[in-house]
Amino acid sequence: MAYKKIRMYLVNARMQLGYSQYRAAEKAQMSHQHYNRVENGQIGKNIQFRTILSICKALNIRTSDAWHYEESYQKTL
């Protein structure tokens, strides 16, 4: 299995709110398994924009910031 980089901007935003991955997934209206795969890089370049939007809303991340962070993340893949 290839090493995947963690989306640290999601981890940091989640931790600042004091959320577990379970709570973040619940707020984003997705399964914990799906949220975990996103945050831990298992869903790399195949992430859907609506998924990012749901997570932004759940974690109080401005969409423009997430877009910038995600663009930087994608360049590392």
Side-chain angles (χ1 to χ4, degrees):
M1 179 158 92
Y3 172 75
K4 301 290 184 181
K5 293 184 180 275
I6 295 173
R7 284 179 167 91
M8 286 307 298
Y9 73 94
L10 295 181
V11 175
N12 291 335
R14 176 175 58 77
M15 293 181 81
Q16 284 181 347
L17 293 171
Y19 288 176
S20 66
Q21 282 189 344
Y22 288 98
R23 179 71 176 134
E26 180 183 87
K27 295 282 282 182
Q29 299 180 334
M30 63 182 63
S31 71
H32 167 257
Q33 292 85 0
H34 186 65
Y35 181 85
N36 179 274
R37 287 190 298 266
V38 170
E39 190 174 284
N40 288 308
Q42 292 173 327
I43 300 175
K45 293 187 177 204
N46 296 324
I47 192 167
Q48 295 184 2
F49 186 68
R50 69 179 179 209
T51 300
I52 293 172
L53 290 178
S54 295
I55 293 171
C56 285
K57 185 176 179 182
L59 299 180
N60 299 319
I61 301 171
R62 291 183 341 160
T63 307
S64 60
D65 290 343
W67 184 263
H68 170 74
Y69 296 139
E70 184 63 25
E71 190 174 53
S72 297
Y73 171 81
Q74 292 289 333
K75 289 178 184 177
T76 69
L77 300 179

